Amino acid sequence: MANLPEPLQNLIDAFERLPGIGPKTAARLAFFILNTPEPMTPDLVESLRSVKQDLGFCEICFNITLAVNPLCEICSDPRRNRTSICVVEEPLDVLALERTNAFNGMYHVLHGVLSPIEGIGPDDIKIQPLMERARTGGITEVILATNPSMEGDATALYLHQRLVPLGIKVTRLARGLPVGSDLEYADQGTLSRALAGRQDMTS
Ligand SMILES: [Zn+2]
């Protein structure tokens, strides 16, 4: 057999397009699916369908929300402080910060970071909508909570330069987080301290 049957090859190709999956893992996953007992596959198919059809992104902050709700739980909560926006890279970072119970403001999810190497510029992530929120007024502080990585820092610096002229106080999470780490994996104590000790970038 020179070639794999087309359906199997298609599945391998599909897995290979996922981040962090190389050809060997893709093939192993595809063969696992092929050999797996019946009940698991419909569950997987249904989960894949549901995550694309039943979920969407909040119209204000781009956090994950049920597709039937245009606004996420946080944006639709009248008890949240609307003068403060915490900017994060991914929806999982919102969860990590929410678990600390140390922040009662709003969020903005960028869905990525600036990365000249990977060709990701300001128009490729949700920077424009953030600027629109900032310009609409009523925002007194923006907390830049991008990851303490090279790209996270570069993104924070870029946003800082664009937000300061609007008269907004811009702060950055304190350096308690290990450099190169991901917010979503930080423990609650470290994250709370980083939030409490956030530093003013304005001056
Ligand atoms: Zn929202």
Side-chain angles (χ1 to χ4, degrees), residues 58-63 70-76 106-107:
C58 173
E59 285 177 3
I60 295 178
C61 75
F62 299 96
N63 190 12
L71 300 185
C72 73
E73 272 179 47
I74 295 166
C75 287
S76 37
M106 314 295 281
Y107 290 93

Side-chain angles (χ1 to χ4, degrees), residues 22-39:
K24 271 190 184 168
T25 308
R28 207 166 63 230
L29 289 171
F31 277 101
F32 177 78
I33 297 285
L34 181 66
N35 293 323
T36 203
E38 205 43 50

Side-chain angles (χ1 to χ4, degrees), residues 2 21 40-42 44 54 87 128 140 162 166 172 179 185 191:
I21 307 280
M40 189 198 148
T41 318
L44 184 64
D54 302 340
V87 178
Q128 208 43 48
T140 53
R162 293 199 55 187
L166 302 176
R172 179 88 172 104
V179 174
Y185 302 123
L191 206 47

Side-chain angles (χ1 to χ4, degrees), residues 3-176:
N3 295 311
L4 287 170
E6 201 182 332
L8 188 57
Q9 188 60 53
N10 288 345
L11 186 58
I12 294 174
D13 294 346
F15 279 134
E16 237 188 293
R17 286 198 289 272
L18 299 175
I21 307 280
K24 271 190 184 168
T25 308
R28 207 166 63 230
L29 289 171
F31 277 101
F32 177 78
I33 297 285
L34 181 66
N35 293 323
T36 203
E38 205 43 50
M40 189 198 148
T41 318
D43 284 354
L44 184 64
V45 170
E46 170 54 21
S47 303
L48 287 170
R49 188 207 59 75
S50 172
V51 83
K52 293 303 282 183
Q53 277 184 11
D54 302 340
L55 295 180
F57 294 107
C58 173
E59 285 177 3
I60 295 178
C61 75
F62 299 96
N63 190 12
I64 300 169
T65 179
L66 289 174
V68 289
N69 302 331
L71 300 185
C72 73
E73 272 179 47
I74 295 166
C75 287
S76 37
D77 184 348
R79 290 164 300 182
R80 306 287 300 210
N81 168 13
R82 279 158 205 278
T83 65
S84 173
I85 298 180
C86 182
V87 178
V88 296
E89 294 181 19
E90 303 294 346
L92 282 176
D93 300 333
V94 174
L95 273 185
L97 285 158
E98 281 298 287
R99 276 198 293 264
T100 68
N101 280 318
F103 180 66
N104 185 41
M106 314 295 281
Y107 290 93
H108 190 89
V109 184
L110 293 172
H111 289 272
V113 269
L114 297 176
S115 171
I117 296 167
E118 290 178 48
I120 301 168
D123 293 334
D124 299 311
I125 58 177
K126 303 292 181 194
I127 285 182
Q128 208 43 48
L130 172 65
M131 296 311 297
E132 279 162 29
R133 288 178 78 183
R135 278 193 212 98
T136 333
I139 311 291
T140 53
E141 182 183 10
V142 171
I143 303 162
L144 299 173
T146 48
N147 289 329
S149 63
M150 212 161 68
E151 289 87 358
D153 283 342
T155 307
L157 198 61
Y158 175 86
L159 291 174
H160 164 249
Q161 285 165 352
R162 293 199 55 187
L163 289 163
V164 166
L166 302 176
I168 292 170
K169 180 181 176 186
V170 181
T171 55
R172 179 88 172 104
L173 286 193
R175 280 289 172 198

